[in-house]
Amino acid sequence: MSALGAAAPYLHHPADSNIGQASFLGTQLPPEVAAMTRVLEDLDRSTFKKLLKLVVCSLQGEDSREAVQRLSASAHLPEDRLGILLAGTYTVLQQALRLPTTSLKVDIFKDQLQDLGFPSDLVGDLASVVYGGQRPLLDSVAWQQGAWLPHICSFRWRVDVAISTSALSRSLQPSVMMQLKLSDGSTYRLEVPTAKFQELRYSVALVLKEVVELEKKCERKLQD
């Protein structure tokens, strides 16, 4: 279990990011980050680096509770302030790592944090995690720990033609037979008339097109 789950109560205030530019933290500033900006004053950079290392270890799935206690004692940080710093740092990294580096440019990342009142040296340390050599490992761990729906492992299909039915002596109606095997071991078999299969094909293509357009729209907002 991570040591970053508990933190002090927060008061929310709106982000002071550039008008018209979408923040990687969302439309509303997370309360963990809002609280963090109010306790950054006089924070020693070496202490922040140790704190940042603990957060990275937590993102990688390691138990950091004992290390947090040692940091609190060695850095003489009150427990409530340390909790706010850990929760805020965790949220910043978690939100930034959700976006590919091609969408969230490093300059935008730094500018938005500085607009919130983060000192430039701490911003540089955070950027070194999001855009540094640890990023592939963090992405891999996040993917492995994520909650995923079952996905298609195999897909088989064929076209059958019904020569006759109980109602018609001569039918000659084609249908598409499909078998899907999912990652959870379940198997589904479907029989779809060609007309319905064309509707399905069109609907899927339309949804994929809308997803691509939405991704492009979000990417342009982040890059503006």
Side-chain angles (χ1 to χ4, degrees):
M1 179 177 177
S2 170
L4 306 180
Y10 309 110
L11 295 175
H12 175 72
H13 67 75
D16 296 326
S17 56
N18 296 330
I19 297 176
Q21 179 171 291
S23 171
F24 74 92
L25 292 168
T27 55
Q28 290 187 333
L29 185 66
E32 298 89 345
V33 181
M36 181 181 180
T37 60
R38 295 193 287 269
V39 297
L40 286 175
E41 186 177 359
D42 300 329
L43 179 63
D44 182 70
R45 186 180 181 186
S46 62
T47 300
F48 180 76
K49 282 189 171 184
K50 295 176 183 177
L51 183 150
L52 182 60
K53 184 177 180 180
L54 294 181
V55 174
V56 171
C57 290
S58 180
L59 287 169
Q60 294 174 350
E62 299 179 16
D63 189 340
S64 56
R65 285 175 293 186
E66 293 184 2
V68 168
Q69 293 175 356
R70 291 196 297 268
L71 176 61
S72 178
S74 63
H76 305 291
L77 283 174
E79 185 176 341
D80 57 346
R81 185 185 182 190
L82 179 58
I84 291 173
L85 290 170
L86 288 169
T89 304
Y90 186 92
T91 302
V92 168
L93 293 181
Q94 187 182 52
Q95 293 296 103
L97 292 170
R98 290 176 59 247
L99 300 170
T101 55
T102 54
S103 297
L104 180 60
K105 303 296 185 183
V106 61
D107 291 339
I108 295 176
F109 174 78
K110 290 182 176 180
D111 289 343
Q112 290 184 357
L113 289 181
Q114 288 177 346
D115 287 344
L116 292 173
F118 280 72
S120 58
D121 53 350
L122 304 191
V123 170
D125 293 333
L126 289 166
S128 68
V129 174
V130 178
Y131 300 92
Q134 298 180 86
R135 177 62 185 264
L137 177 58
L138 291 171
D139 287 343
S140 175
V141 172
W143 188 88
Q144 293 173 7
Q145 293 179 343
W148 306 100
L149 294 173
H151 58 273
I152 297 176
C153 291
S154 66
F155 177 81
R156 300 173 62 190
W157 66 276
R158 71 173 187 264
V159 176
D160 282 356
V161 178
I163 298 176
S164 63
T165 67
S166 58
L168 298 173
S169 59
R170 187 175 179 84
S171 176
L172 297 179
Q173 291 294 324
S175 62
V176 180
M177 302 288 295
M178 296 178 287
Q179 178 178 290
L180 295 83
K181 186 174 183 180
L182 305 185
S183 57
D184 61 0
S186 58
T187 301
Y188 296 88
R189 294 178 178 85
L190 310 171
E191 181 178 1
V192 185
T194 53
K196 288 295 183 181
F197 179 78
Q198 294 296 343
E199 291 181 17
L200 174 63
R201 184 187 63 80
Y202 173 79
S203 299
V204 170
L206 182 61
V207 170
L208 290 175
K209 179 176 179 293
E210 291 177 351
V211 168
V212 171
E213 291 177 351
L214 181 61
E215 288 178 343
K216 289 181 179 179
K217 184 178 179 181
C218 293
E219 186 172 334
R220 285 196 298 268
K221 284 185 177 180
L222 287 170
Q223 293 176 346
D224 286 343

